[in-house]
């Protein structure tokens, strides 16, 4: 009981001391403000004013410190919010830029395919879009969005703005399958001619390499120098492909194992990884 009363009295004394200090600080602050008149101050007045100013500084310093911390916190939060907003805008800009680049490439490809119309004036043609491509048979075949209802028939030649892509292998009412020229299992060899200066030499495409995007042309019997970069085009023989469709360009010429004929390595003019739009050809009936 005695300890409890003692602690209560001790608490009351501390409480009274705190109140007294606050009251004194208020009085000194009021007096310091009142003594700001333009006159000479007595020594007690100077003491009161200095004490009041000191207490004001002591009291205001932690308050200002807390205010500065709160202000800095708000500024940092505002900066962070602006940073997040800018990052979102940056992502949106990247997406928009990618979409624009893709659309620009598609427009350029369509323009090039449309330019074929002036070149292939003696051909029946129909533009189409590749709608399906199996990743397991990437270099073998593709599906296009044109079929019998559009006048497409089996064995029609398929090209794009860069050269020969392949031929139609099967047709349904609204879709067709195109066998690509890059097909490793191409059953029928394609007759081609290579422009060597002022003349042509003839050969057959025997295989395609997807690693280098090149064809091997064999059976070149003519003993004529074939310059590097010479155009390689279809001959029109066999009835499937019209004459003059670009296959690619010569990169290297060697001889076969028996040293009887020449073998040309031909870089394809078509990038089979980037074929999106094609044109189907058929010779007009005479």
């Amino acid at each position: 009981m005695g300890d409890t009363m003692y602690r209560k009295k001790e608490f009351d004394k501390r409480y009274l001391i705190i109140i007294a200090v606050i009251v004194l600080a208020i009085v000194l602050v009021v007096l310091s403000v009142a003594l700001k008149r333009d006159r000479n101050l007595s020594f007690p007045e100077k003491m009161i004013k200095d004490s009041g100013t000191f207490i004001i500084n002591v009291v205001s310093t932690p308050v200002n410190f807390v205010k500065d911390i709160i202000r800095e916190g708000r500024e940092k939060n505002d900066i962070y919010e602006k940073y997040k907003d800018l990052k979102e805008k940056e992502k949106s800009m990247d997406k928009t830029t990618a979409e624009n680049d893709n659309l620009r490439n598609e427009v350029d490809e369509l323009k090039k395919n449309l330019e074929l119309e002036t070149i292939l004036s003696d051909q029946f043609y129909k533009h189409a879009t590749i709608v399906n491509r199996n990743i397991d048979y990437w270099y073998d075949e593709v599906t296009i969005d044109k079929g019998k209802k559009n006048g497409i028939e089996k064995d029609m030649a398929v090209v794009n703005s860069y050269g020969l892509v392949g031929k139609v292998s099967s047709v349904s009412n609204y879709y067709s399958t195109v066998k690509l020229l890059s097909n490793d299992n191409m059953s029928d060899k394609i007759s081609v001619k290579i422009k060597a200066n002022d003349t042509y030499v003839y050969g057959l495409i025997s295989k395609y390499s997807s690693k280098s995007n090149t064809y091997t042309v064999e059976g070149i019997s003519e003993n004529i120098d074939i310059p590097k970069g010479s155009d390689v085009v279809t001959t029109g023989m066999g009835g499937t492909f019209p004459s003059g469709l670009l296959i690619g360009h010569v990169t290297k010429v060697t001889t076969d194992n028996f040293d009887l004929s020449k073998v040309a390595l031909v870089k394809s003019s078509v990038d089979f990884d980037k074929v999106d739009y094609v044109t189907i050809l058929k010779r007009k009936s005479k």
Side-chain angles (χ1 to χ4, degrees):
M1 184 73 175
D3 288 342
T4 303
M5 291 186 65
Y6 175 76
R7 289 176 183 174
K8 185 176 180 181
K9 288 180 180 179
E10 185 178 1
F11 174 77
D12 291 342
K13 287 181 180 179
R14 291 178 180 177
Y15 187 71
L16 290 173
I17 291 172
I18 292 172
I19 293 175
V21 170
I22 294 173
V23 171
L24 177 61
I26 294 171
V27 171
L28 291 175
V29 169
V30 172
L31 289 174
S32 65
V33 172
L35 294 174
K36 287 182 179 179
R37 293 186 297 273
D38 188 15
R39 65 183 180 81
N40 293 327
L41 303 177
S42 64
F43 180 76
E45 289 174 337
K46 290 179 180 180
M47 290 293 293
I48 291 172
K49 185 172 183 178
D50 290 342
S51 300
T53 303
F54 175 75
I55 292 175
I56 289 171
N57 291 335
V58 171
V59 173
S60 63
T61 297
V63 174
N64 291 333
F65 177 73
V66 173
K67 286 170 64 178
D68 290 341
I69 291 177
I70 294 173
R71 187 181 69 255
E72 289 178 3
R74 287 176 178 173
E75 290 177 352
K76 289 179 180 179
N77 187 61
D78 290 342
I79 292 173
Y80 179 67
E81 290 299 324
K82 290 179 180 178
Y83 169 77
K84 289 198 299 182
D85 186 51
L86 288 173
K87 289 296 289 182
E88 289 299 320
K89 288 181 178 179
E90 182 184 8
K91 291 180 181 178
S92 178
M93 285 295 293
D94 290 342
K95 181 181 178 182
T96 302
T97 300
E99 290 175 349
N100 287 341
D101 288 342
N102 184 56
L103 288 172
R104 191 178 295 110
N105 289 335
E106 288 184 359
V107 169
D108 290 343
E109 189 68 22
L110 287 171
K111 284 181 178 179
K112 289 176 181 178
N113 278 348
L114 290 174
E115 288 173 1
L116 286 173
E117 295 181 8
T118 58
I119 301 171
L120 304 171
S121 57
D122 61 336
Q123 308 290 332
F124 160 81
Y125 52 83
K126 182 69 68 174
H127 300 302
T129 301
I130 292 175
V131 293
N132 185 45
R133 191 169 188 177
N134 191 324
I135 195 164
D136 293 327
Y137 305 98
W138 188 260
Y139 295 105
D140 293 346
E141 61 185 30
V142 296
T143 302
I144 59 174
D145 62 350
K146 295 293 184 294
K148 287 182 180 178
K149 296 292 186 181
N150 307 106
I152 307 303
E153 298 175 3
K154 185 179 178 181
D155 288 334
M156 282 185 173
V158 180
V159 301
N160 67 3
S161 57
Y162 299 99
L164 183 60
V165 173
K167 69 176 182 178
V168 176
S169 59
S170 64
V171 184
S172 64
N173 284 332
Y174 300 101
Y175 298 96
S176 300
T177 300
V178 176
K179 183 178 180 181
L180 299 176
L181 204 62
S182 57
N183 193 317
D184 288 333
N185 299 318
M186 195 183 311
S187 58
D188 48 342
K189 294 184 177 181
I190 299 171
S191 174
V192 297
K193 56 184 178 181
I194 304 172
K195 186 169 178 56
N197 298 318
D198 296 330
T199 187
Y200 284 99
V201 295
Y202 295 82
L204 296 172
I205 294 177
S206 61
K207 60 182 177 180
Y208 170 82
S209 171
S210 59
K211 292 182 179 179
S212 58
N213 192 27
T214 56
Y215 302 103
T216 300
V217 177
E218 299 178 339
I220 305 172
S221 57
E222 292 86 347
N223 189 20
I224 298 174
D225 289 334
I226 301 174
K228 186 177 180 180
S230 297
D231 292 341
V232 181
V233 299
T234 55
T235 63
M237 299 177 185
T240 299
F241 300 114
S243 176
L245 298 181
L246 183 63
I247 299 292
H249 307 281
V250 175
T251 59
K252 185 179 180 181
V253 178
T254 58
T255 57
D256 62 13
N257 295 332
F258 303 99
D259 201 23
L260 297 175
S261 61
K262 293 183 178 180
V263 178
L265 195 64
V266 178
K267 182 74 172 181
S268 174
S269 58
V270 174
D271 186 347
F272 288 98
D273 287 322
K274 299 178 181 179
V275 178
D276 296 308
Y277 303 99
V278 295
T279 300
I280 302 94
L281 306 180
K282 178 184 178 182
R283 291 171 177 169
K284 287 184 177 180
S285 300
K286 294 183 180 180

